[in-house]
Amino acid sequence: MRLPGLGSSDPRQAVAAAVPWRALGRVQTELGGRCTGALIAPRTVLTAAHCLVAPRTGRFVQPQSVHFLRGYHLGRWEAAGRAVRLQTGPGFDPARRGPPEADWALLTLDQDVAEGVRPLFLQRRLPPPGTPLMLGGYQQDRPELILADRDCHLLGLAGHGAARLLVHDCAGTRGASGAPVLAQEAPGVWSVIGIAVAGAKDAARGLAVPTAALPEAP
């Protein structure tokens, strides 16, 4: 059975531990949930709010049960931290895992996990359609490493007003939730324009919450 968000062809490839991928890590809960997160400050991780919902209760997990493993690869990682605070999008209801425009979360960790790695920059300005993008994360079919689509594009916006979401044609499936949607600012320079929250059922296409929806100072 084809996984959602990939389409008929799968352009994803495993990526090496280099910029910007070293700022990514696996977000996992002690209940077994796994998603992707991005370091945006030495003790702050950006991910999706629905990744922090306990499957049986429909409630948010306790912060201390959430771990961030930066640079996770084949059972090893470069740095690890435990959450001490969770902040989610205003109005996000864990029981129904929505609305999608509020599906973002900031994890405050118990320690600095940057260790020489520059946190990713949040781009508040929305780039035009056609902008080159990348999307990579710890996905269902290969959760032990980062699989990335490095040649995709911004298609535009869906929704209206504060409920707008980014639409992209990056391939990504379950587990890529919470991954940063990276836009190319200049050759070799990437910034975060969104947080991956959903993929199409039968196409390489997805939705992301724009970083403009986040508070100014994480």
Side-chain angles (χ1 to χ4, degrees), residues 13-218:
Q13 296 181 340
V15 293
V19 176
W21 310 112
R22 287 187 68 199
L24 273 62
R26 207 160 79 170
V27 174
Q28 54 189 54
T29 73
E30 294 176 357
L31 295 178
R34 290 195 302 260
C35 280
T36 303
L39 194 68
I40 60 170
R43 292 180 54 202
T44 306
V45 173
L46 176 63
T47 189
H50 74 258
C51 296
L52 309 176
V53 178
R56 291 187 178 181
T57 66
R59 298 177 180 175
F60 286 120
V61 298
Q62 294 298 310
Q64 62 270 21
S65 72
V66 183
H67 301 260
F68 178 68
L69 309 178
R70 185 183 62 73
Y72 184 95
H73 184 79
L74 300 178
R76 298 185 177 184
W77 50 90
E78 296 183 2
R82 183 190 296 264
V84 295
R85 180 173 180 264
L86 310 178
Q87 179 183 0
T88 60
F92 185 84
D93 180 357
R96 63 186 182 96
R97 291 167 172 75
E101 64 271 15
D103 193 359
W104 59 263
L106 295 173
L107 312 179
T108 302
L109 304 180
D110 59 354
Q111 60 185 323
D112 182 338
V113 297
E115 295 186 9
V117 172
R118 179 176 295 179
L120 294 175
F121 173 72
L122 300 184
Q123 177 56 261
R124 305 289 180 168
R125 172 184 54 82
L126 291 178
T131 296
L133 303 178
M134 295 196 300
L135 175 66
Y138 297 91
Q139 304 181 42
Q140 177 180 327
D141 47 344
R142 296 193 70 186
E144 297 298 307
L145 49 79
I146 296 176
L147 289 178
D149 184 346
R150 295 180 290 178
D151 186 21
C152 49
H153 300 84
L154 179 64
L155 300 180
L157 293 170
H160 303 280
R164 292 188 304 173
L165 295 169
L166 304 180
V167 183
H168 60 78
D169 64 0
C170 302
T173 192
R174 300 183 186 101
S177 290
V181 177
L182 300 167
Q184 189 171 18
E185 300 289 331
V189 179
W190 298 83
S191 62
V192 183
I193 65 164
I195 308 106
V197 295
K201 182 178 180 180
D202 55 2
R205 184 170 295 196
L207 297 174
V209 178
T211 51
L214 272 63
E216 285 295 329

